[in-house]
Amino acid sequence: MTTKDRILEEALRLFSEKGYDGTSVESIAEAVGIKAPSLYKHFKGKEEILNCIIDISEKRYSENFGTAHSSWELPESKEAFIKVSKERFRFTLFDPNIRRIRIFMTQEQFRNRRMAEITNRHKMEDVQNIFKKILTEMMEAGIVKKDDPELLAIELASPAVLFISKGDRMPESREELLEQFERHVRHFCDVYFIKQ
Amino acid sequence: MTTKDRILEEALRLFSEKGYDGTSVESIAEAVGIKAPSLYKHFKGKEEILNCIIDISEKRYSENFGTAHSSWELPESKEAFIKVSKERFRFTLFDPNIRRIRIFMTQEQFRNRRMAEITNRHKMEDVQNIFKKILTEMMEAGIVKKDDPELLAIELASPAVLFISKGDRMPESREELLEQFERHVRHFCDVYFIKQ
DNA sequence: AATCCAAGCTAACGTGTATTAGCTGAATGG
DNA sequence: CCATTCAGCTAATACACGTTAGCTTGGATT
């Protein structure tokens, strides 16, 4: 791992913990194990670090949630659907990289137009498009009742978003949130899946 | 309105726009129309201003959403329920004071334990308790199908939270969000209300 | 072996920020 | 009518932060 990558890693960690304005260039350098002026051999300044992190955030997010890359195989049954949903939810909730990006985005979205757009693309488009796609396919396969897949995607996704936010705020509640999420998905299945 | 109140008002506005660390004492003073040192006649320092604002946030939130103060009359029909939900949603989405507090809280929750707890009490308890109460009553009144009111409260509330977050991020989309919210509530009624 | 460059360092600068000291004038109260 | 208090002001302080200049060094290149 290069020094440049280590700088970006530590900067993201610090930004997510203290915010951009609350993080000094010196503290980033210290976390990396170099002196502040050495940082300028790799980046023009603090703002360039920020922009690189935004780039990374955008990339990692689209890798993990973009419709293109996201290859869920179609769940064949209610239990398969619950299992794969839970795995996905657990990963999103616990993965430290995704988590740091999410917390950082949550804080920075109001002062950075690009950050607002990325946050939005993620929460309002990517997540819902994944669910929309799966739900559409499951409707066609006769597993889920025919309905507006866009609306159902929101019904399915938004409690997850709420739980994830709580998990970021209070990490100690994450195990409990997994259970809450399962209850929600099971309920969703009870309502919208075709009984066999 | 006293100077002290004006300071708190402008500080909240600036904190919500630029964050706590991004707001200087001088800029608060300037917004109020005084010089920075005069601020110290009213507050011990920047941090005391922050704490006062947190107090205010907590108070305003519990005034608006606390179970105790919240007096919804029980909606008698589906349309009445949709109407009152929409009004409430519109208010929450547009009211500038509530909005500033919410945006400020969203940013500060990760660096301030108290802020995390207030955010949580609001999003995870207050909002859901209101809906839980109404839904329970409507189940007893034979308007809504019998089900777990706690779960249904989440199904009803979480898309609203998602829409509100988007509205804070991109205010220009708020009118559209009102329509999306109505679609969600109508769908909710279709699924959970007893047909007449 | 001589040269070069990347990546670190120390020292220093300029700016911005939170806060304090101490003055002033106007209202308040005995 | 004088004393006090309040709420503003200017000037100044101390420090932190982002950034630049310029030196050093060790490994790669020629």
Side-chain angles (χ1 to χ4, degrees):
Chain A
M1 201 177 203
T2 71
T3 304
K4 191 164 183 175
D5 290 333
R6 299 230 324 287
I7 293 169
L8 289 171
E9 194 188 355
E10 294 298 328
L12 173 58
R13 190 179 55 76
L14 286 162
F15 287 170
S16 74
E17 285 167 13
K18 319 251 185 193
Y20 177 74
D21 286 321
T23 303
S24 68
V25 173
E26 211 180 336
S27 70
I28 300 171
E30 198 190 9
V32 174
I34 58 176
K35 299 289 175 183
S38 307
L39 247 150
Y40 290 79
K41 300 286 169 178
H42 304 277
F43 297 94
K44 270 173 148 179
K46 197 184 177 186
E47 210 175 306
E48 204 192 28
I49 299 179
L50 174 66
N51 286 322
C52 280
I53 288 183
I54 297 180
D55 290 341
I56 291 171
S57 304
E58 191 161 23
K59 218 172 105 222
R60 293 234 187 110
Y61 253 78
S62 72
E63 275 167 20
N64 278 289
F65 304 99
T67 331
H69 300 81
S70 185
S71 59
W72 285 41
E73 72 234 58
L74 188 66
E76 297 294 338
S77 70
K78 180 182 151 181
E79 286 304 324
F81 179 75
I82 291 167
K83 186 163 172 268
V84 71
S85 301
K86 267 177 71 181
E87 273 161 18
R88 195 63 177 224
F89 181 78
R90 162 168 254 130
F91 169 76
T92 305
L93 190 60
F94 282 95
D95 182 271
N97 284 312
I98 296 288
R99 189 165 174 266
R100 272 181 214 121
I101 293 173
R102 197 170 51 226
I103 291 177
F104 177 52
M105 272 175 35
T106 303
Q107 294 176 72
E108 235 52 38
Q109 61 182 326
F110 303 110
R111 266 164 298 156
N112 189 311
R113 189 81 218 156
R114 238 184 104 206
M115 216 59 177
E117 276 156 19
I118 295 172
T119 309
N120 216 54
R121 184 152 60 254
H122 171 57
K123 295 214 179 178
M124 304 305 293
E125 294 172 28
D126 290 350
V127 170
Q128 284 166 41
N129 280 337
I130 291 179
F131 285 123
K132 187 180 157 187
K133 194 180 151 203
I134 297 170
L135 287 167
T136 307
E137 288 173 16
M138 289 174 90
M139 284 176 197
E140 282 161 6
I143 303 167
V144 172
K145 292 177 196 166
K146 294 234 187 278
D147 203 332
D148 177 1
E150 205 150 327
L151 200 53
L152 255 56
I154 288 173
E155 304 298 324
L156 181 54
S158 50
V161 174
L162 191 75
F163 295 151
I164 297 274
S165 306
K166 174 164 180 185
D168 288 341
R169 193 159 46 238
M170 325 201 109
E172 68 276 12
S173 69
R174 282 182 291 185
E175 286 300 336
E176 196 197 317
L177 288 167
L178 273 169
E179 289 167 31
Q180 268 197 281
F181 176 74
E182 178 164 354
R183 240 174 292 147
H184 156 64
V185 178
R186 288 198 176 276
H187 179 263
F188 181 90
C189 293
D190 289 344
V191 174
Y192 298 105
F193 275 48
I194 292 166
K195 307 277 184 304
Q196 13 225 353
Chain B
M1 199 178 203
T2 72
T3 305
K4 192 164 183 174
D5 290 332
R6 300 232 322 288
I7 293 168
L8 290 170
E9 193 188 356
E10 294 299 327
L12 173 58
R13 191 178 55 75
L14 286 162
F15 287 171
S16 74
E17 285 167 13
K18 320 250 186 196
Y20 176 75
D21 287 319
T23 303
S24 67
V25 173
E26 210 180 338
S27 69
I28 299 171
E30 197 190 10
V32 174
I34 58 176
K35 300 288 175 183
S38 307
L39 246 148
Y40 290 79
K41 299 286 169 177
H42 304 275
F43 297 94
K44 270 173 148 180
K46 196 183 176 185
E47 209 174 308
E48 205 193 26
I49 299 179
L50 174 66
N51 286 321
C52 280
I53 289 183
I54 298 179
D55 290 341
I56 292 171
S57 303
E58 191 162 22
K59 216 170 106 227
R60 292 234 188 110
Y61 253 79
S62 73
E63 274 167 19
N64 277 288
F65 303 100
T67 331
H69 300 81
S70 186
S71 60
W72 284 40
E73 72 234 61
L74 189 67
E76 298 292 337
S77 69
K78 179 182 153 181
E79 285 304 323
F81 179 76
I82 291 167
K83 186 163 171 268
V84 72
S85 302
K86 267 176 71 181
E87 272 161 19
R88 194 64 177 225
F89 181 77
R90 162 169 254 129
F91 169 76
T92 306
L93 190 59
F94 282 95
D95 182 88
N97 284 312
I98 295 288
R99 188 165 175 267
R100 271 180 215 123
I101 293 173
R102 197 169 50 224
I103 291 177
F104 177 52
M105 272 174 35
T106 303
Q107 294 176 72
E108 234 54 36
Q109 61 181 327
F110 303 109
R111 265 163 300 157
N112 189 310
R113 188 82 218 157
R114 238 185 104 207
M115 216 59 178
E117 276 156 19
I118 296 172
T119 309
N120 216 54
R121 183 153 61 254
H122 171 58
K123 295 214 181 179
M124 304 305 293
E125 294 170 28
D126 290 350
V127 170
Q128 285 164 42
N129 279 339
I130 291 180
F131 284 124
K132 187 180 158 187
K133 194 180 151 205
I134 297 170
L135 287 167
T136 306
E137 289 173 16
M138 289 175 90
M139 284 176 197
E140 282 161 6
I143 302 167
V144 173
K145 292 177 194 164
K146 294 236 187 277
D147 203 331
D148 177 1
E150 204 149 330
L151 200 54
L152 254 56
I154 288 174
E155 303 299 322
L156 181 54
S158 49
V161 174
L162 192 75
F163 295 151
I164 297 273
S165 307
K166 175 166 178 184
D168 288 341
R169 194 159 46 238
M170 326 200 109
E172 69 277 11
S173 69
R174 283 181 290 183
E175 286 301 335
E176 195 197 316
L177 288 167
L178 273 170
E179 290 167 31
Q180 269 197 281
F181 176 74
E182 179 166 353
R183 240 174 290 147
H184 156 64
V185 178
R186 288 201 175 273
H187 178 263
F188 181 90
C189 293
D190 289 344
V191 174
Y192 298 105
F193 274 47
I194 292 165
K195 307 277 185 304
Q196 14 226 355

